[in-house]
Amino acid sequence: GSGSHSLSGTSGTLLDRDGTFTQGTSTVTVTSASGTATTLLTAATTFRNLTINPTSGMTVTAGAAITLDASGNLSVTTGTLDDNGSQITCTATCTGTLTLASGATLSLGSTSTATTFPANYTTFSVNSASTVVYKANAATTISVTPTYGNLSLTPVLSTSGKTYDFAGAATINGDFMINPSGDQLLTVNPAGTITVAATKTTTIQGSGSATSSLDIHPGTSYNFSTGLLNIGAGGTLDGTSATSSITITGTTTSPILFIKTGTFTAGTST
């Protein structure tokens, strides 16, 4: 069909689908007015356009795999869309746009399953005040498209340490946060230069008994640039064997440029 369909429920599952949903050219919008989490789907579903626009601060959990058709637009305008381990995908040859508005959050992964940034999109509208969270308690690949707003790597780690690998050079226009919790080590490996905006902060730390390490020489040296750098308790910026350039670009009006209560291993970096 066509037209617009609004899901405004405030609890339970919003779209309980046992039969067939034919998306046509329709737009489905979640407008739930509640401060608590709700679930979108009971079964994998394909949409033409999907907009997440609940009350600010509310989390909408996918519940099942979300697919957008080849012209499909995915928009998170308020609140959080949490895939919770159910992959979000646009059909191959996707011509749609993925939009993350100011204050909106896209959360990826679960306690057992890693998911990727929504696949096959090539057109993005990502506000610098939006946030993408990777939180899988599993090895994870961090997409380097699009340019991020805020990027947070905040899994709850148990059983063993985990590795998050960037897929290439990455640009972050907001703050960059590495802050696992639990009781294990999160190792973050670049695969190209990481550039954080000159007015923004990179924080590397751990919560509880968890620790984290940003390794700028995971076999090859990669450069790293940020406005401000905070290596907090449980955090390590590891330049062992690195010949990387580490650049702190904060201005004279910035707070303290480099705060270190954790560990900085310089290697032969500059």
Side-chain angles (χ1 to χ4, degrees), residues 9-257:
T10 58
S11 64
T13 301
L14 300 178
L15 180 54
D16 188 347
R17 187 183 67 77
D18 294 319
T20 300
F21 171 64
T22 303
Q23 74 275 13
T25 59
S26 65
T27 296
V28 174
T29 302
V30 176
T31 59
S32 304
S34 173
T36 60
T38 192
T39 301
L40 178 58
L41 300 170
T42 58
T45 300
T46 298
F47 299 90
R48 164 56 67 89
N49 301 304
L50 176 63
T51 299
I52 306 300
N53 187 37
T55 298
S56 180
M58 181 179 178
T59 296
V60 177
T61 301
I66 296 171
T67 299
L68 287 300
D69 72 19
S71 300
N73 300 306
L74 174 62
S75 302
V76 185
T77 55
T78 58
T80 297
L81 173 60
D82 184 355
D83 77 6
N84 198 35
S86 295
Q87 182 64 48
I88 302 171
T89 304
C90 187
T91 305
T93 68
C94 179
T95 60
T97 299
L98 191 156
T99 298
L100 297 177
S102 175
T105 297
L106 176 64
S107 185
L108 306 173
S110 71
T111 55
S112 60
T113 302
T115 49
T116 64
F117 194 84
N120 297 325
Y121 277 103
T122 59
T123 302
F124 306 95
S125 177
V126 178
N127 190 279
S128 62
S130 66
T131 301
V132 175
V133 178
Y134 288 84
K135 59 179 177 60
N137 181 29
T140 294
T141 299
I142 303 169
S143 174
V144 293
T145 54
T147 295
Y148 290 98
N150 300 304
L151 176 61
S152 295
L153 313 180
T154 54
V156 180
L157 300 178
S158 61
T159 308
S160 62
K162 302 298 186 295
T163 300
Y164 280 17
D165 293 316
F166 278 90
T171 301
I172 302 164
N173 283 335
D175 293 322
F176 179 29
M177 169 71 76
I178 304 173
N179 185 22
S181 56
D183 57 7
Q184 300 293 328
L185 168 66
L186 174 65
T187 301
V188 179
N189 294 324
T193 297
I194 296 176
T195 304
V196 180
T199 59
K200 300 300 180 179
T201 300
T202 296
T203 301
I204 307 166
Q205 63 185 34
S207 294
S209 300
T211 55
S212 68
S213 175
L214 176 60
D215 183 358
I216 56 174
H217 183 79
T220 299
S221 293
Y222 296 111
N223 296 333
F224 171 61
S225 175
T226 185
L228 309 176
L229 176 60
N230 179 12
I231 306 175
T236 298
L237 178 57
D238 187 0
T240 303
S241 302
T243 57
S244 309
S245 294
I246 301 170
T247 305
I248 300 176
T249 57
T251 67
T252 55
T253 59
S254 300
I256 298 171
L257 298 181

